[in-house]
Amino acid sequence: MPQTFLDAPAVRTWCGLALRELGRAREEIDAINVYPVADGDTGTNLYLTVESAATAVEAVFAGYGTGGAEPSLADAVRAMAHGALIGARGNSGTILAQLLRGMAQVLAASGDASRADGPGLRLALRRAADSARQAVAHPVEGTVLTVASAAADAAGTADGDCRTVARAAYEGARTALAATPDQLTVLRRAGVVDAGGRGLVAVLGALVEACTGEAVGPAPSRGGSAGHPRVPDLSAAGPEETGAGGTRAGAAHGLAGAGVTGAGGSDCAGAAGTGGPAFEVIYLLEAGDAAVARLRARLDALGDSLVVVGGDGLWNVHVHVDDAGAAVEAGVEAGRPYRIRITHFGHGDAHTGRERPPRERAQRAVVAVVPGEGLAGLYAEAGATTVLARPGEPPASGELVQALRRAHAREVVLLPNDAELRHTAAAAAEQARIEGIRVALIPTRSAVQGIAALAVHEPGRRFDEDVVQMTSAAGATRYGEVVVAEHQSWTTAGICQAGDVLGLIDGDVAVIGADVTATARTVLDRMLQAGGELVTLVVGEEAPDGVAGHLEARVRDSYLAVDTVVYHGGRQGALLLVGVE
């Protein structure tokens, strides 16, 4: 129903329509994604970002029940902005989250708590464009920022109610989108418009429909003559599109020399050296303004495509770097990072300001679920696409499917690294197979088994042979962990009380103790009774100081010809993970 103002139901309708339009345009937007990285996921990232925003708005309405009451405009727009912030994916999704946050700041503060008029919407669109531009470390014209600014400029000249302002903003954005190939050489040579800008036009079109009840016309997706759309040429990036200049090489991890390659078929150093950072790092961060200002400066020195959005203690951080571990460590120093996602771009991606060959699917890649930030960095720098599983927050099947797509390979090895994820991983693998991806699911039950599998991964051999060797290595690795009991419970080792230290071997409680180091030593000794050549220790953030050193000394003094390697897992749930192979 047409309406002259914007209220909570209109925001709800807007989110639903935006999700519908992005769902329809997702594949088209993915296909024209050539800047800043030609990774073919901008449409998907925008869809997931708006899906999170729409879900948050629906939750607010559900909280009011069916009694006739409904949330205020402020409630709805704040939920929309928060949902987008916590669910933002990729460069464009992160910028869209800041656009929605900028709008929410104005609309929530409007004099009428129940609705906003045309002038209020004008101010909201202006704040959105300005705040998004401020969130990007090095703004580039011809991108979604240009389209957002054009929308705000056009809205600023419109006199009338929300219907008039929304339509003016849409038309201004649509005109600016068509001109983006004239501003970015990479777009002009590829014969496409900016993918992020195309997504924003879809979102603004949904706003028009929410206010007027009338659907808008299709937005342009191709540059050049209308009758002769061109096939994207991903080698087109020129030096004028360079973003933040410096990147630095990542520190080598123990797996880096094990022949592990990423989605592009090269190791990390090779991928980085061919032009453009090798990893996309995204995480939510709880931190104060001063700490975030320092974080911006540090991440800007590490890589490019830096976008930091949010405020009031909660931020979404996006950056492209060579050293994924350093980007995560910077977040740890600034505050509490979580929901960390690290994606390995791989060799052959077109990246900001670099001439690269057309991107093709890699032959083979590895996707792994990991329990902590430290292991996420380790796996990613070894070339794997990672999905972070925080305690109590296991990834859904859809997240695993997205990771399988992001790997951008014909063949993918999936390592769930958790016995509880076997059904979720199997469902994701089946969906990916339907989409034409050859997926092998190796039933790893612990991250240490995944490490063992990665260590023998050789992309150069036949897929079946590689899977057999990785499966064999994982199966030959016994796994243990040390955790703290949360409540009283019956276990295979007896009754434990809340606060007891539990030592698990191959998924079963084998030791109940009071001291972490002593329990860990008992677990290690029992695991080595059957022999072993290599002990892997993954130390959690809350493990006591010195536990790794004590166990290393125990192995060195008591077990001949057994080597030990130690990794730091960060916030991984378990105090300690142990692998013996």
Side-chain angles (χ1 to χ4, degrees):
M1 177 183 296
Q3 54 187 76
T4 60
F5 52 83
L6 196 68
D7 59 5
V11 171
R12 184 187 197 182
T13 300
W14 177 29
C15 288
L17 292 172
L19 188 63
R20 183 197 69 188
E21 291 306 307
L22 286 172
R24 291 173 174 174
R26 180 182 63 81
E27 292 185 0
E28 171 200 330
I29 297 172
D30 283 346
I32 64 172
N33 174 200
V34 299
Y35 183 88
V37 177
D39 47 359
D41 63 357
T42 292
T44 299
N45 287 337
L46 288 170
Y47 178 87
L48 293 172
T49 301
V50 172
E51 182 180 48
S52 182
T55 300
V57 173
E58 289 298 328
V60 168
F61 273 85
Y64 279 79
T66 58
E70 62 184 31
S72 67
L73 173 63
D75 291 334
V77 295
R78 284 171 180 154
M80 174 185 69
H82 181 75
L85 177 67
I86 64 174
R89 304 292 184 95
N91 191 66
S92 294
T94 308
I95 292 173
L96 178 60
Q98 188 67 4
L99 288 167
L100 296 179
R101 176 179 170 80
M103 291 188 69
Q105 288 175 326
V106 172
L107 296 174
S110 62
D112 188 340
S114 64
R115 62 180 64 180
D117 56 11
L121 182 57
R122 285 202 303 268
L123 290 175
L125 290 166
R126 181 79 268 164
R127 173 71 69 84
D130 292 345
S131 63
R133 189 170 288 270
Q134 292 166 4
V136 177
H138 300 277
V140 175
E141 298 305 326
T143 66
V144 63
L145 298 176
T146 305
V147 176
S149 294
D153 291 343
T157 64
D159 291 325
D161 56 29
C162 284
R163 295 174 298 182
T164 303
V165 173
R167 189 173 291 281
Y170 170 76
E171 293 297 340
R174 194 171 184 274
T175 300
L177 175 66
T180 55
D182 296 328
Q183 297 172 289
L184 272 179
T185 302
V186 62
L187 300 179
R188 183 172 66 252
R189 293 181 180 172
V192 299
V193 298
D194 179 67
R198 171 66 181 86
L200 178 59
V201 168
V203 172
L204 291 173
L207 177 61
V208 173
E209 186 172 353
C211 292
T212 67
E214 300 174 357
V216 299
S221 62
R222 300 285 178 178
S225 63
H228 298 86
R230 297 171 56 190
V231 176
D233 174 10
L234 306 191
S235 64
E240 62 267 41
E241 282 99 53
T242 303
T247 64
R248 67 182 179 88
H253 283 280
L255 288 176
V260 180
T261 68
S266 68
D267 61 30
C268 300
T274 56
F279 303 102
E280 177 185 60
V281 179
I282 306 174
Y283 51 79
L284 293 178
L285 177 70
E286 293 178 357
D289 291 356
V292 170
R294 293 190 296 270
L295 175 66
R296 288 179 190 268
R298 181 170 177 189
L299 292 179
D300 193 22
L302 286 175
D304 61 29
S305 295
L306 173 62
V307 185
V308 181
V309 304
D312 301 322
L314 180 62
W315 309 81
N316 191 304
V317 179
H318 170 282
V319 68
H320 296 169
V321 293
D322 281 332
D323 190 342
V328 175
E329 289 169 7
V332 172
E333 292 180 6
R336 187 178 82 87
Y338 60 103
R339 292 195 184 179
I340 299 169
R341 294 189 295 273
I342 301 175
T343 302
H344 183 266
F345 289 130
H347 181 74
D349 290 327
H351 198 278
T352 307
R354 311 297 178 95
E355 293 201 12
R356 304 292 294 276
R359 187 173 192 253
E360 296 181 357
R361 282 188 179 274
Q363 182 61 33
R364 191 172 307 161
V366 176
V367 171
V369 180
V370 291
E373 298 93 338
L375 282 180
L378 171 65
Y379 272 76
E381 292 190 14
T385 295
T386 62
V387 179
L388 189 68
R390 297 200 59 80
E393 299 180 19
S397 177
E399 291 182 74
L400 298 186
V401 172
Q402 289 298 327
L404 292 168
R405 292 169 181 158
R406 289 200 315 269
H408 202 66
R410 298 181 182 89
E411 302 167 341
V412 181
V413 179
L414 177 58
L415 306 174
N417 292 339
D418 186 340
E420 298 299 321
L421 287 177
R422 62 187 183 278
H423 297 304
T424 301
E430 185 59 32
Q431 176 59 39
R433 292 183 188 115
I434 292 173
E435 298 177 10
I437 304 172
R438 187 180 184 188
V439 181
L441 171 59
I442 297 179
T444 48
R445 295 170 290 175
S446 170
V448 292
Q449 289 189 325
I451 290 173
L454 273 175
V456 300
H457 170 49
E458 290 186 11
R461 62 188 168 202
R462 290 195 312 110
F463 185 59
D464 291 341
E465 293 178 359
D466 198 29
V467 171
V468 167
Q469 292 300 318
M470 294 176 72
T471 302
S472 178
T477 302
R478 302 190 69 197
Y479 63 98
E481 59 183 299
V482 177
V483 300
V484 175
E486 297 181 355
H487 48 75
Q488 185 185 58
S489 178
W490 287 90
T491 76
T492 52
I495 300 176
C496 71
Q497 305 296 327
D500 283 347
V501 180
L502 307 181
L504 289 79
I505 299 177
D506 293 336
D508 293 324
V509 176
V511 183
I512 300 175
D515 179 75
V516 173
T517 301
T519 302
R521 182 176 63 247
T522 302
V523 168
L524 180 62
D525 286 340
R526 292 192 184 183
M527 293 178 69
L528 284 171
Q529 284 177 356
E533 298 176 354
L534 176 66
V535 172
T536 300
L537 303 175
V538 183
V539 184
E541 183 179 67
E542 297 181 358
D545 295 337
V547 63
H550 178 88
L551 296 178
E552 283 186 287
R554 176 68 174 174
V555 172
R556 184 173 57 250
D557 296 341
S558 303
Y559 300 94
L560 296 177
V562 177
D563 295 322
T564 305
V565 60
V566 179
Y567 300 114
H568 295 280
R571 299 179 180 91
Q572 62 182 21
L575 299 175
L576 180 72
L577 300 178
V578 183
V580 174
E581 52 186 296

